[in-house]
Amino acid sequence: MASTTQPAKTAETAQKTAPAPSKQRNMVIAKVVAILAVTLILYFMPVPEGVDPRGMHMAGIFAGTILGLILQPLPTASVALIGLAAAMMTGTMAAKNEALTGFGSSTIWLIVAAFFIADGFLLTGLGRRVALIFVSKLGKSSLGLAYGMALTDFVLSPATPSNTARAGGVVYPIVKSLAVVNNSEPTTDESRKRLGAYLSLTAVQVNTITAAMFVTAMAGNPLAVGFAEKQGVHITWGTWALGAIVPGLIALVVMPWVMMKLYPPTLRETPDAPAQARQQLKESGPMSRGEWIMLVTFVLLLALWILGSTLKIDATSAAFFGIALLLVTKVLTWSDIAKNSGAWSTLIFFSVLVAMAEHLNTLGVIGWIGTSVSNLVGGLPWAVAFVILFLVYFYVHYLFASNTAQIVAMYAVFLSAAIATGAPPLFAALMLGFAGNLIGGLTHYASGPAGVVFGSGYVPTSEWFKTSFLASLVNVLIFGVIGTGWLMLIGLWR
């Protein structure tokens, strides 16, 4: 009996588990069909007036690539390369001067450099030491750690025009170290959800807020100020900062708590962590040669990023100078750089998306979208029209791989449309300016900081889209309601 029953159970179990591969295969097929359907529908749409004949082809391939990144029938970099191949083979993008332009983007290479700088923190142990210091001061809870990162980002933001440098070169290495110290790595769901996923995604959302608070906190903000000036709206550094300070500070206080509710870590309370951290710091002894070199390099990089506009040194050049110092002093080796798969994968998928987004603008697709939207709200009361314009400007960023790219493509169009409906020009210019930063966390390709954090592997695509959309609603409410009231109160409503 026993000998015949056991095989029967095994066979029954096998029958129950057998459909799993088939079900998984069917899911992949369904995803591919959906991607192809969206791509082909847009690809063969009639070309609107003012749009290049290749425009809708590019829109279809771009939309299909984005959907592929969301559904992920294949890994991220693979989807991006397939989309790029489709664009080149159909003649939608020329290989020589269109398809590969994203690989020459200094912002993308700054993201890649940030990965290697983070490696320096981890390999030397300096990141662990800094993390232990943070834990010893704020480590009684995961929420306290998140507020520590938020404070760091806020203090640096007025003097760091590159939000990617700030998030990727300063905050991200500390977040990664804090996660690793607390046994949270992107190797398994259980491990990443322990702390790293929460801190990583919260850092991105916080960065969008600090970038919105100062003209000098994000590279695209001065462009917005320039576009506004051309339409007769004068915005000074002080005007922007005064307009953003109240909604910005409230958002900074609220966001880590909101993320704790939306995307909670499994590690909530760590009452013994401060004492343990102090003990580990004591056991670590004095700083090593590698740690000192990493610290000096880090301080030098921070100075170059802050003073970059004065010294005429851009953030990417400074980052590669820092990497060169780490290589010369053998704190990093080429082997360390070569095996950082996250950095190279990020280079591929982000370069492809940036090139596609820029090409959409060149072909007139983005301009057509902006013009169509402005025409739709022409007869509405200005307050209603502005709310619609603001929300469209905010969420159209799902089509962009860069804050700055969207500002260049659409800020002037939407500001002009808002003013035409009767919206107070300064109010409209500031609110759209703030939005141009808050959009940076919507997707894993929405901005440089998002690219850095996504490459770490802590936050899967599906979780990123869902959580970041909900977080964006919080920012929209804070800046839309409290921000509007504040601008009215201080007389920036004109």
Side-chain angles (χ1 to χ4, degrees):
M1 288 290 292
S3 60
T4 56
T5 304
Q6 185 61 38
K9 289 183 179 180
T10 303
E12 183 180 354
T13 302
Q15 289 176 355
K16 288 182 178 180
T17 58
S22 176
K23 183 178 180 181
Q24 185 176 9
R25 185 167 55 250
N26 290 338
M27 288 179 63
V28 171
I29 293 173
K31 291 177 180 179
V32 172
V33 169
I35 293 167
L36 289 174
V38 169
T39 301
L40 293 174
I41 289 171
L42 290 174
Y43 190 95
F44 290 108
M45 277 185 64
V47 180
E49 185 178 352
V51 175
D52 186 282
R54 295 184 297 164
M56 298 316 295
H57 296 173
M58 188 69 256
I61 294 170
F62 183 78
T65 303
I66 296 301
L67 187 58
L69 293 175
I70 296 171
L71 299 179
Q72 287 199 317
L74 292 172
T76 299
S78 300
V79 171
L81 286 176
I82 292 170
L84 184 64
M88 290 191 289
M89 290 301 293
T90 58
T92 305
M93 299 181 81
K96 184 177 181 180
N97 56 4
E98 293 173 344
L100 303 178
T101 56
F103 289 90
S105 168
S106 62
T107 299
I108 293 171
W109 280 103
L110 178 59
I111 296 170
V112 175
F115 279 96
F116 304 143
I117 294 167
D119 277 349
F121 272 86
L122 295 173
L123 293 173
T124 62
L126 179 61
R128 180 176 182 275
R129 187 181 295 274
V130 171
L132 289 173
I133 293 173
F134 269 93
V135 173
S136 69
K137 303 296 183 182
L138 302 167
K140 291 184 178 180
S141 70
S142 301
L143 184 60
L145 294 174
Y147 278 119
M149 298 301 98
L151 181 61
T152 302
D153 200 322
F154 171 70
V155 170
L156 295 174
S157 60
T160 313
S162 172
N163 62 328
T164 304
R166 189 168 69 251
V170 180
V171 175
Y172 167 70
I174 298 173
V175 165
K176 180 66 181 289
S177 297
L178 284 169
V180 172
V181 164
N182 284 280
N183 300 314
S184 177
E185 300 194 47
T187 50
T188 65
D189 280 348
E190 181 181 1
S191 182
R192 68 178 180 81
K193 289 180 178 179
R194 181 173 171 80
L195 180 62
Y198 164 71
L199 286 183
S200 297
L201 196 52
T202 301
V204 173
Q205 298 302 329
V206 163
N207 183 262
T208 69
I209 298 166
T210 59
M213 294 179 71
F214 306 97
V215 171
T216 50
M218 202 275 283
N221 290 343
L223 295 174
V225 170
F227 292 139
E229 189 73 36
K230 291 180 180 179
Q231 298 195 36
V233 184
H234 182 61
I235 302 175
T236 66
W237 191 96
T239 300
W240 184 301
L242 181 62
I245 192 67
V246 168
L249 288 177
I250 291 174
L252 282 179
V253 171
V254 169
M255 187 53 67
W257 179 84
V258 167
M259 291 298 290
M260 179 64 71
K261 301 298 181 181
L262 296 177
Y263 199 55
T266 57
L267 181 67
R268 296 291 192 96
E269 301 295 332
T270 55
D272 299 328
Q276 293 173 353
R278 287 190 289 271
Q279 178 61 31
Q280 290 182 50
L281 282 169
K282 184 178 179 180
E283 293 173 356
S284 297
M287 288 177 59
S288 66
R289 170 185 174 274
E291 286 180 282
W292 277 113
I293 293 173
M294 188 64 227
L295 178 61
V296 171
T297 302
F298 171 72
V299 172
L300 178 59
L301 278 173
L302 187 57
L304 290 174
W305 282 331
I306 293 173
L307 301 174
S309 57
T310 302
L311 300 175
K312 309 298 182 186
I313 300 175
D314 64 55
T316 306
S317 299
F320 273 86
F321 175 66
I323 293 173
L325 288 178
L326 297 178
L327 288 170
V328 167
T329 56
K330 297 186 178 181
V331 170
L332 284 180
T333 66
W334 174 249
S335 176
D336 298 323
I337 290 175
K339 67 184 180 184
N340 192 328
S341 59
W344 300 118
S345 178
T346 298
L347 170 66
I348 292 172
F349 94 84
F350 215 33
S351 296
V352 170
L353 291 180
V354 166
M356 287 183 172
E358 290 178 349
H359 199 48
L360 278 174
N361 186 41
T362 302
L363 296 176
V365 176
I366 301 301
W368 167 67
I369 293 173
T371 302
S372 300
V373 170
S374 64
N375 290 337
L376 289 174
V377 299
L380 297 174
W382 78 260
V384 176
F386 183 75
V387 170
I388 295 173
L389 288 171
F390 182 88
L391 292 176
V392 172
Y393 182 76
F394 199 104
Y395 289 106
V396 78
H397 194 63
Y398 282 108
L399 298 177
F400 286 89
S402 163
N403 300 65
T404 303
Q406 177 167 333
I407 291 169
V408 170
M410 307 194 77
Y411 179 86
V413 172
F414 274 71
L415 178 58
S416 176
I419 294 173
T421 64
L426 182 58
F427 163 77
L430 286 172
M431 292 298 290
L432 290 174
F434 301 156
N437 296 276
L438 299 174
I439 56 181
L442 278 177
T443 66
H444 58 298
Y445 55 85
S447 63
V452 170
V453 169
F454 179 72
S456 70
Y458 277 104
V459 187
T461 306
S462 58
E463 293 179 11
W464 190 301
F465 272 73
K466 177 183 176 181
T467 306
S468 292
F469 173 74
L470 295 175
S472 75
L473 295 179
V474 175
N475 277 335
V476 166
L477 285 174
I478 291 174
F479 276 82
V481 178
I482 297 176
T484 296
W486 172 245
L487 292 177
M488 293 178 66
L489 181 66
I490 60 178
L492 296 181
W493 181 271
R494 60 183 190 276

